[in-house]
Amino acid sequence: MIDKQFEKEEFKKSVKENVKFLYRKTLEEATQEQIFQAVSYTVKDVIIDNWLKSQKAYEKQDPKIVYYMSMEFLMGRALGNNLINLGAYGEVKEALEELGLDINCIEDQEPDPALGNGGLGRLAACFLDSLATLNYCAYGCGIRYRYGMFKQEIRDGYQVEAPDNWLKNGYPFELRRPEYAKEVHFGGYVRVEWDPVKNENKFIHEGYQAVKAVPYDMPITGYNNDVVNTLRIWDAEPIVDFNLDSFDKGDYHNAVEQENLARTIVEVLYPNDNHMAGKELRLKQQYFFVSASLQAAIAKYKKTHDDITKLHEKVVFQMNDTHPTVAVAELMRILIDEEGLGWDQAWDITTKCCAYTNHTIMSEALEKWPIELFSRLLPRVYQIIEEINRRFILEIQQKYPGNFEKIKKMAIIYDGQVKMAHLAIVAGYSVNGVARLHTEILKNQELKDFYEMMPEKFNNKTNGITQRRFLAHGNPLLADWVTDKIGPDWITDLSQLSKLKVYADDEKALQEFMTIKFKNKERLAKYILEHNGVEVDPHSIFDIQVKRLHEYKRQLLNILHVIYLYNQIKAHPEMDFYPRTFIFGAKASAAYARAKKIIKLINCVADVVNNDASINGKLKVVFIENYRVSNAEIIFAAADVSEQISTASKEASGTGNMKFMLNGAPTLGTMDGANVEIVQEVGEENAFIFGMSSDQIINYENNGGYDPDFIYNTDPEIRQVLMQLINGTFSSDTEMFRDIYNSLLDKRNMPRPDQYFILGDFRSYAEAQKRVEEAYKDEKRWAKMALLNTACSGKFTSDRTIQEYVDDIWHLDKVVVKEN
Ligand code: GL4
C-alpha cells in the first residue's frame, strides 16, 4: 500500500541525496533544520506526482470547483500532516530512526505557517483538508503574508510581539507559479466613453497604479486518496519588470509608488480577531487577492469552456466572512468590462456564483468602509457597488413601500459607508451561520430584516474540525487506542467513534483511556517546563482555556475565579480541595490594550499563587507563551477540562471546543455557539453548563436592567476578588489593573459596565467549577465522561460540515484520482 518513495531504504537514500544537493553536506554534518528541508523535499516529491495526477483527473472529469476565498489560512505545520494523509507517518518515523533522527525534532524545525488569527483561519485550513479527503476539487485563495501572526513573548508578564519571519529559510511546501501572475489596479479614475456599436457606455479605468500578483501554490493532500488540491496564496511584486512604461515616460514618482505598493501590500497579516481596524491597507489586501483569484478562476474556466454565462455551473466562490466580499463587485466588473456582458446578465451570473458565510455578530467586527476611501482606492468597483445599491433600494421600496426605516437599515451604502455584509447578502445566493444558535441569532436579531426579505438564502452549517490533524497527528496514543478498539475507519468517517460508547462502563478500557490522558498530560508538563520554566503536576486537574484573548471570551472570568479559589484555600487551609492547574494560552491583538492587561493579570496571579508555599501546590496557574497550531495539538490531547465560557450569544461557534471534546475533555461552558450542540451530542450530564442564556443576555442588552454594582455590593467574596485588583495583592502598582476593575464597575464604561456579564455569571461559574471537582474526584465517573466526550464527538468533523456545504450550497462533483 505504501508508495515506493516511502519504502524505507528508498526514502533514506532520497533524504541523504537532498542534504547533499541542497547543502553540500553529509547527514552527519547537516543541522536539524537542514534535515527538515531535505525530508520535506523528499515528501514533496511524492506529493507532486499526486498533484499532477489530480490535475489530470480534474481535466478529464471537469468537476465543478469551489474557490474558498479567505484572508486567512491558519495551516499549521505541513510535514507531519502530509505524512499522516499519505499514510506514511509510521514508515517515515522508522526510516528517520534508522538514520538516528527523531521525527518530532525534525517536525519541530518547521515554522508554523500562521497566516491567520484564530478560529476563522483555522476553519479554512480544516475545510481544505476535508475537501481534498472527500474527493472534491477546491482551491483555497488567500494572501502570502511575508509576516504571519506575530510571535508572542511574555516579558515581565506582558505580551511582547515579535515578527514571524516564517519564510526566512525558505518554505519547502510552496511552489512559485510566475506563469499565472495577474495585474491588479488601484486608484485612478473612470473615463466614460460612448460605444456606438453596442449603443451603450463603456467604462475605462485609467491613471491607476498596478501591482503584479504572483501566486504561490501549496499542496493540500487528501487522506489516502491521492488527491492533491491547491492553496493558492498571492505575493505582490512591482510591475516595473512587466513593462517599463513609467520610467520610459519619465514618470519616476508613479513607478516608485507602485514599487512601494507592491512591497507593503502583502507585508503583514492584521492581527485582529473579531475586530475591524478600518485601515486602507487592509482594503488593498482584500481587493488584491480577490481580483487576482477571480482573474485566475475565470481564465481557467475559459481555457476549457466558451460560454461565460454558464460560469456558475463550474465555479462557486465561497466568501469566508465579509473580508473577500469585494469579490461580488469585482466579478461584475470582469463580466461587464472585460467579458462585455450587460448588467442583468452579469448580475445573474454573479448571484449564482457567490455565497457568504457569517462568522461573528460582534459589532466591532462588521466591515464598513468610508465611501471616500473606497471610491478613491477602487473607483470602478465603487461605481458598480453604487449601482447594486441603487437597484437594491428600488427592490426594498417595492417590497416595503414608504418604509424608509428598511432602507436605512438595509442599504449597502448608507451614512457615508459601504457595508460589506449587506453587499454579501444581497449578492450571495446563500448566507450561512456557523452553528445552530448563531444562525438563529442572525435570522432573528442581527440580520432580521434581510431574513424577512429573503429567507430562502439563510442556512446553517455548524463548524467542524479535521480529525486527521487533531487526533491522528496530535494525539497518536489515543488515535492508536481508538483504532485498536473500532478499526481505522474513523479517520475518514468520524461518526464511527460512537462505537466507543460500548466501553463507557468497561473498567479496563476506561483505565486505558485515562492512562493515555495521563501520558499526554506528562507530555504537556514537559513542554511547559521546557518552554515556561514552570513545574506542573500531571496528577492535578488540567483545566485549560486556549483561544484568542477577547473580553467576550472571558478569560477574565476564569482568572477572577482562580483568585476566588486562592482566597478560599487561604481562608480554609483544611478544606478538601483537588489540586488544579489552570492553563491559559492566548494572543491579544497588538493594539487591544485591555486584552493585554488581562494577560498581565493572569501572569501576576500566577506569580503570587505559584509561589505561595502556604497553599501546598494545590493551585497552579500557567500562561503558555505563543499559543499556535503546533502546541495546540499537544495542549488539546492533555486537557481534562475544556473552558468555553464566552458570554452567551457572542461566540459564533468556537472550534477549540470541538478539539477538546474529540480528545476526551468535558466542556465547562455556557450555552453559546457550538457548545449547545456539543451538549446535545454528549448529554448534559457529561458537560458542566452554567450561566445566562443567550436570550437573557440579549434581553439585557436590548432592555437594560443589568446591575453589576448590586452584585458587588451584596456578594462579599466577589467584592474581595475585585478589591484585590486594586489593593496591591497582585501588583505593587495599585493602578496596574484599575482599567480592568473599572471595566466591570464604572458607570462611564461604554456601552455599560461589565459589558460581558462577568459578575452576573460568576456565581454560576464557581458552582459549575465545584461540580467539576466533585466529578473528577470520582475516578470512574470522570473516566466515563471523558471517554463519552470522545465517543460522541463524531458530528464535529469538518468532513460532515463540508459534505453539508456540498449538498446544500456548492453542489460539487466527486472526483476519482486514485485508481484501484
Ligand atoms: C470566528 C468566531 O469568533 C468563532 O466563534 C468561529 O468558530 C470561527 C469560525 O467560524 O469564526 N469569527 C471570527 S471573526 N473569528 C473567529 O474565530
Side-chain angles (χ1 to χ4, degrees), residues 176-203:
R176 185 167 185 263
R177 312 299 299 276
E179 65 274 30
Y180 295 114
K182 303 283 179 248
E183 259 195 48
V184 180
H185 299 165
F186 295 95
Y189 53 89
V190 181
R191 188 163 56 80
V192 184
E193 197 176 86
W194 182 251
D195 181 341
V197 182
K198 293 177 94 179
N199 211 19
E200 63 186 23
N201 276 330
K202 264 195 333 202
F203 299 88

Side-chain angles (χ1 to χ4, degrees), residues 126-127 129-131 133-134 136 464-468 490-494 795-805:
C126 284
F127 279 5
D129 181 84
S130 287
L131 279 159
T133 295
L134 294 176
Y136 295 115
I465 57 162
T466 170
Q467 66 268 31
R468 267 83 60 190
W490 60 271
I491 301 175
T492 49
D493 174 10
L494 201 65
K795 172 175 172 181
F796 302 105
T797 170
S798 45
D799 298 343
R800 187 265 316 146
T801 313
I802 284 299
Q803 194 55 50
E804 290 180 6
Y805 274 93

Side-chain angles (χ1 to χ4, degrees), residues 72 117-121 123 272-275 320-321 323 357-362 365 434 463 548 552-553 650-658 673:
E72 304 189 12
N117 273 286
L120 175 142
L123 184 76
N272 298 325
D273 186 71
N274 271 288
H275 183 87
N320 198 25
D321 217 284
H323 318 150
T357 304
N358 175 290
H359 291 270
T360 183
I361 64 159
M362 298 298 292
V434 290
N463 284 164
R548 285 302 293 260
Y552 85 79
K553 295 176 188 284
K650 300 299 176 210
E651 191 69 274
S653 163
T655 43
N657 46 4
M658 302 168 184

Side-chain angles (χ1 to χ4, degrees), residues 255-302:
V256 172
E257 271 179 36
Q258 291 200 25
E259 173 122 23
N260 268 333
L261 182 61
R263 224 195 327 269
T264 54
I265 208 159
V266 297
E267 193 65 8
V268 64
L269 165 80
Y270 279 94
N272 298 325
D273 186 71
N274 271 288
H275 183 87
M276 168 181 185
K279 291 278 192 293
E280 178 165 342
L281 181 61
R282 169 82 172 186
L283 184 57
K284 285 184 188 164
Q285 291 184 335
Q286 297 184 345
Y287 183 67
F288 169 75
F289 95 94
V290 162
S291 177
S293 302
L294 290 188
Q295 290 181 53
I298 289 171
K300 183 177 168 66
Y301 172 82
K302 285 173 68 174

Side-chain angles (χ1 to χ4, degrees), residues 312-328:
H312 61 278
E313 290 179 9
K314 292 295 174 188
V315 168
V316 50
F317 300 107
Q318 186 68 37
M319 300 183 286
N320 198 25
D321 217 284
T322 54
H323 318 150
T325 296
V326 66
V328 166

